[in-house]
Amino acid sequence: MERLEEILKQVSGVIWGNYLIITLMGVGIFFTLITGFIQIKGFPLAIKELINSMRGNKEVKGEGTLSSVQALCTALSSCVGNGNIVGVATAIASGGPGAVFWMWLAGILGMATKYAEIVIGMIYREKDEEGTYVGGPMYYLSKGLGWKKVSVIFAIFMCLQISGGALIQSNAVADVVESIFYIKPIFAGILMGILIGMVVIGGVKKLGAVAEKLIPIMTIIYFLGGITVIITNINQLPYAIMSILKYAFNTQSIGGGFLGYTMKEALRYGIARGLYSNEAGEGSAPVLHSAAITDYPARQGLYGLLEVFIDTILICSLTSFIVLTSGVMQEKISPAIYVITAFGSIHSILKYIIGISMILFAFSSILAQWYFGKVTLTYVFNSKKASYFKYIFIIIVIIGSISRLHIVWYLQDILLGLMILPNLFGILLLYPDVRRETNNFFQIIKKEK
């Protein structure tokens, strides 16, 4: 078993080498240019669209299964998870404070990539036998490029990858529940399985309704708790900001601690964590947004800008400042408990707040992972056969609570890397669709004014 784990670790390292990170960044730059810097010109409109949708001021015409806001919240439930807490803390521990700067850059470029993915996903989406709109890389790889075999392989990889993700998230919940509330993992897993079952049996509409309510609540809980930690250590905030900027471009390693990190390490871990967290380029966003009710693909693409902004610029940044202002990096503890330690150092009640946040983050991620599995299996087989996946998925969640998952982590990375490559090549080849839809949409918006 140890030999297998070592082999998988080496394979994962090869797949997630510098070339993949460079490719992801390059794709972000490419779509930034061909969309006319969509992050800048589209962001104010995206905010306006979100406010109007939430207030009900403007009803968007078009076909779909979920409202645009529900699609956004469902997509956020996928990328906003414990990676925003543990993953960011680990990136800072491995790459130093400068990793945060490169994480921001990855987020800004990732906004353009995710926008492009969603636009293409909306163009090539279709209805399944149940009348639900479905889409994603397997649909545009097949319909847009004629890569039928590649699309099937992609769907299988995504189903396997999300199943492993459910195991990991369930395991994280069980660990938190056991350490904070002293409940045995198996009982936490059974309870999680029951709650997940109550949602997934209701289908994608039930998922959208739950995500629409859950995402704002869990984000606010974590945000308020994090702000409390930062305000308590407010005298360290200027130092944290200067450290981020200084060590992002530090070219020499001259000692231990922060001084031991170089620009190379900061860039590697910051970009990798930023892209891993916001999922830009993975192909997950078009799967979830393809169910949205919208009149123009580019209108729904704007919600991708908000998705990356909330995930990386807001939540990941909050975690970064919690770690850098609290002083937990000076303690001899695992990066995995940096944030929990920072919360607990202020007041014992904050320990429970972060625990609840981590549970909600994992719960929302698991719900999104079920939907990925359903859509991919629908594509490979049909909706009737795919409907049985919800029962298998509940069992996966329960098993995850009592498992040891070192090997699963490496398999996750390998499958994810294998998914990203065909997706990136696909959206690059379909870039004329993105440029056309973007130009048409903004011309229409200009005329409406």
Side-chain angles (χ1 to χ4, degrees):
M1 190 66 71
E2 291 182 0
R3 177 60 178 167
L4 175 61
E5 184 175 336
E6 182 60 31
I7 292 173
L8 292 175
K9 182 179 179 179
Q10 292 176 2
V11 174
S12 173
V14 171
I15 292 176
W16 280 92
N18 292 334
Y19 79 92
L20 183 55
I21 294 174
I22 293 171
T23 301
L24 282 163
M25 295 293 284
V27 171
I29 293 170
F30 176 77
F31 281 110
T32 295
L33 295 174
I34 72 159
T35 58
F37 290 84
I38 190 68
Q39 306 96 317
I40 299 173
K41 74 176 185 180
F43 193 77
L45 182 57
I47 295 292
K48 183 179 178 181
E49 288 284 333
L50 177 62
I51 293 173
N52 286 336
S53 297
M54 293 180 69
R55 290 180 176 177
N57 294 342
K58 182 179 180 181
E59 184 178 351
V60 175
K61 297 180 181 180
E63 295 185 324
T65 308
L66 302 176
S67 71
S68 292
V69 174
Q70 287 179 329
L72 169 65
C73 290
T74 306
L76 279 171
S77 70
S78 168
C79 60
V80 176
N82 286 319
N84 298 82
I85 300 175
V86 178
V88 172
T90 303
I92 295 174
S94 302
V100 180
F101 175 87
W102 297 107
M103 181 183 69
W104 290 335
L105 180 61
I108 292 170
L109 295 176
M111 292 168 85
T113 303
K114 183 158 283 192
Y115 167 83
E117 288 181 294
I118 294 171
V119 170
I120 296 172
M122 297 300 294
I123 293 172
Y124 293 100
R125 68 177 179 168
E126 60 185 49
K127 284 184 180 180
D128 63 16
E129 295 98 322
E130 298 176 345
T132 300
Y133 272 92
V134 291
M138 46 277 187
Y139 289 91
Y140 54 71
L141 289 175
S142 176
K143 295 169 65 176
L145 297 172
W147 295 356
K148 179 64 177 178
K149 291 182 179 179
V150 174
S151 66
V152 172
I153 294 171
F154 180 94
I156 294 171
F157 280 165
M158 176 171 274
C159 187
L160 292 172
Q161 198 267 342
I162 64 96
S163 296
L167 286 170
I168 291 170
Q169 294 291 342
S170 175
N171 189 261
V173 170
D175 286 345
V176 171
V177 170
E178 183 178 28
S179 62
I180 295 179
F181 301 105
Y182 306 106
I183 297 175
K184 291 185 177 180
I186 184 61
F187 296 122
I190 292 172
L191 178 60
M192 179 70 71
I194 293 172
L195 293 174
I196 293 293
M198 291 170 63
V199 178
V200 302
I201 290 175
V204 65
K205 290 186 177 180
K206 181 70 172 179
L207 171 61
V210 171
E212 187 177 19
K213 294 178 176 63
L214 181 61
I215 291 298
I217 291 173
M218 74 183 200
T219 302
I220 291 171
I221 290 174
Y222 185 60
F223 185 79
L224 293 178
I227 290 296
T228 302
V229 175
I230 294 170
I231 291 176
T232 304
N233 300 292
I234 195 68
N235 59 315
Q236 294 297 317
L237 186 58
Y239 172 72
I241 295 173
M242 287 189 294
S243 296
I244 291 171
L245 298 176
K246 178 180 179 181
Y247 293 108
F249 303 96
N250 187 40
T251 57
Q252 293 184 335
S253 177
I254 57 176
F258 288 177
L259 296 178
Y261 299 115
T262 65
M263 176 181 171
K264 180 181 177 181
E265 292 162 331
L267 189 149
R268 174 190 172 191
Y269 288 102
I271 291 178
R273 176 45 53 200
L275 293 171
Y276 198 93
S277 174
N278 60 50
E279 299 182 359
E282 289 183 16
S284 57
V287 173
L288 295 165
H289 283 273
S290 292
I293 301 170
T294 192
D295 48 4
Y296 300 105
R299 189 188 299 278
Q300 191 60 35
L302 294 176
Y303 285 87
L305 305 180
L306 297 175
E307 188 180 324
V308 177
F309 180 82
I310 293 170
D311 175 88
T312 305
I313 307 302
L314 290 185
I315 300 179
C316 287
S317 296
L318 182 65
T319 298
S320 301
F321 285 116
I322 290 171
V323 171
L324 294 174
T325 60
S326 62
V328 291
M329 289 188 70
Q330 311 304 326
E331 300 183 28
K332 294 182 179 180
I333 56 176
S334 168
I337 60 172
Y338 274 175
V339 177
I340 292 178
T341 303
F343 271 68
S345 66
I346 305 302
H347 195 282
S348 59
I349 196 171
L350 290 181
K351 177 182 178 182
Y352 295 97
I353 289 177
I354 184 60
I356 293 171
S357 295
M358 294 180 74
I359 291 170
L360 292 177
F361 282 178
F363 183 73
S364 68
S365 294
I366 291 172
L367 288 176
Q369 286 159 347
W370 160 75
Y371 184 66
F372 288 138
K374 177 182 179 297
V375 173
T376 54
L377 290 175
T378 297
Y379 181 79
V380 176
F381 301 107
N382 56 55
S383 58
K384 184 176 181 180
K385 291 182 178 179
S387 65
Y388 294 111
F389 179 66
K390 56 178 168 278
Y391 304 109
I392 298 172
F393 191 76
I394 293 170
I395 296 173
I396 290 174
V397 171
I398 296 173
I399 292 174
S401 66
I402 55 175
S403 302
R404 292 294 173 262
L405 304 170
H406 297 294
I407 291 179
V408 176
W409 271 109
Y410 294 125
L411 283 172
Q412 284 289 93
D413 286 342
I414 292 170
L415 290 169
L416 188 58
L418 294 174
M419 285 165 47
I420 287 174
L421 289 174
N423 182 57
L424 291 180
F425 286 127
I427 62 175
L428 282 173
L429 291 173
L430 293 170
Y431 83 90
D433 291 333
V434 179
R435 185 165 57 185
R436 182 188 67 250
E437 292 292 336
T438 301
N439 292 338
N440 291 343
F441 177 67
F442 278 93
Q443 286 176 6
I444 292 169
I445 293 298
K446 188 176 181 180
K447 291 179 181 178
E448 289 179 352
K449 292 181 178 179

